[in-house]
Amino acid sequence: MALTDPFLLSYLRRFDRVPFEITLHGRTHLIGEGAPQFRVIFRKDIPKAALLTSTSLALGEAYMQGDLFIEGDLFTALCAFLSQTDKFVLDKGPLSFLFHPDTTEAAQREQVSSHYDLGNDFYRLWLDPSMSYSCAYFKTESDSLEEAQRNKVHYILQKLRLKKHMSLLDIGCGWGFLLMEAARWYGVSGRGCTLSREQQKEGTYRLHEAGLDSRVTVELRDYRELPKEGIVYDRLVSVGMLEHVGRENYPLYLSTASRLLREGGLFLLHFIDGRGKDEANPWMRKYIFPVGTLPELGEIISLAVSSGFHILDVESLRRHYEKTLLSWYHNFMVHRGDIAGMKGETFCRMWELYLVGCAAAFHVGHIDIHQVLMTKGVSNDLPLTRWY
């Protein structure tokens, strides 16, 4: 490090495990040893105070605003940085508002709406036709995104051992594709709840078009309201919803799930999990998921057991989510011009960083995703082997 190095350059020299170049103030510098794998181009300096508050927030905002560009593969660059998060700086003091979000029902409705109510036309551009916004399941490397999303839904439904005339509750049902397939292929009656008005509107329309609205509903409801009705279900599923609950509400969430499921019933919980309670990405919390909190797998297993559940199976789909996110990113970039016209350039750069950054986080193992299959109480009615 030269004594005359700008602070930004000297700060970034710590990320030297993977060689790359930095262009700053018209000069190019090599970080690390060997042939550079990508180049980071700064059109504007980043203040020292911002860098010393949060690495992810400072660099993420610079990328969003067009002050930082990546020349080369964005995924490679983000993997390089995220594999070195031990060198990131985070001062939670000035960012306390990001780490202690309001998790009341009203606040969570608003926070969920900020992400999922961006418009069905927006999501339709880059999701597959099923409008599935969660980890797909690639049986083969050649599976299309649509095939993999259908695989995921039917993999879940097979794990749930559905039978005709059973009742199924989907907590956080999105646009309702899983419920549609459950009704269509297994003859169950289904009910889904979401806090997104756009999802509820589109899901209801899709059910009507498919002729399934007499058996399946998508409702604008908070899961906390459901036990008041006194209805219990044969099967329960929740895909990609636990991340929005908030850590202080995990016990309530699992005890609520227990109250909604009949004795011996099956519950499949599909969620992204982090590696530690203290780990968090301020940029993601500020711009993508305002109340997003990643649980630890162990704490959810423990709380589930405390709520009367018996764990049958735990399966990681980490590499599947990496592939899912990169597929979404490809679709996003195909339609980037349309999206920029709808949402603007800053929004596009924010979502590029979100999609590829999450793929990189799964790739380096910073986050994982699990399907946990459990029964309420003891059940001896299931096959002896996992691959039923």
Side-chain angles (χ1 to χ4, degrees), residues 98-232:
L98 295 176
F99 295 97
H100 302 285
D102 187 347
T103 56
T104 61
E105 291 186 29
Q108 286 193 319
R109 284 181 185 272
E110 182 179 347
Q111 291 152 354
V112 167
S113 178
S114 72
H115 187 90
Y116 293 96
D117 287 340
L118 290 170
N120 292 325
D121 290 342
F122 163 67
Y123 283 107
R124 200 175 286 115
L125 284 173
W126 53 275
L127 294 177
D128 74 291
S130 75
M131 296 286 279
S132 296
Y133 189 24
S134 56
C135 177
Y137 186 71
F138 293 85
K139 289 185 177 180
T140 71
E141 286 289 333
S142 61
D143 282 351
S144 68
L145 177 61
E146 183 176 2
E147 289 169 335
Q149 289 291 11
R150 191 172 294 275
N151 293 343
K152 182 269 302 293
V153 164
H154 284 275
Y155 193 36
I156 289 172
L157 298 180
Q158 288 163 12
K159 286 185 176 185
L160 285 171
R161 298 284 292 176
L162 295 175
K163 296 178 181 178
K164 194 171 184 178
H165 303 309
M166 277 186 172
S167 57
L168 171 67
L169 174 65
D170 186 348
I171 301 177
C173 65
W175 287 273
F177 181 64
L178 184 148
L179 288 167
M180 292 173 64
E181 292 294 276
R184 182 182 286 126
W185 292 98
Y186 292 90
V188 305
S189 61
R191 184 184 188 187
C193 61
T194 176
L195 293 180
S196 165
R197 294 183 182 278
E198 289 286 295
Q199 288 182 340
Q200 192 272 335
K201 179 175 68 176
E202 179 71 11
T204 298
Y205 171 78
R206 281 151 51 100
L207 289 170
H208 177 73
E209 288 293 294
L212 296 170
D213 49 347
S214 63
R215 284 190 284 157
V216 182
T217 59
V218 173
E219 302 172 17
L220 193 67
R221 300 289 298 276
D222 190 292
Y223 73 96
R224 288 168 281 200
E225 301 172 1
L226 298 178
K228 300 173 187 176
E229 301 172 348
I231 302 172
V232 294

Side-chain angles (χ1 to χ4, degrees), residues 46 66 79 95 115 127 277 288 351 361 388:
I46 298 178
C79 284
L95 303 174
H115 187 90
L127 294 177
K277 293 180 181 178
I288 306 299
W351 272 70
Y388 56 73

Side-chain angles (χ1 to χ4, degrees), residues 250-251 253-256 258-259 302-309 376:
Y250 294 158
Y253 176 84
L254 286 158
S255 64
T256 299
S258 181
R259 293 170 65 190
S302 177
L303 288 169
V305 171
S306 297
S307 297
F309 289 107
K376 179 179 177 179

Side-chain angles (χ1 to χ4, degrees), residues 16 31 43 48 53 58 108 112 142 203 216 234 252 280 283 320 327:
D16 58 358
I31 307 296
R43 293 187 175 178
K48 179 178 180 179
T53 299
Q108 286 193 319
V112 167
S142 61
V216 182
D234 298 308
L252 173 62
W283 183 84
H320 292 269
S327 297

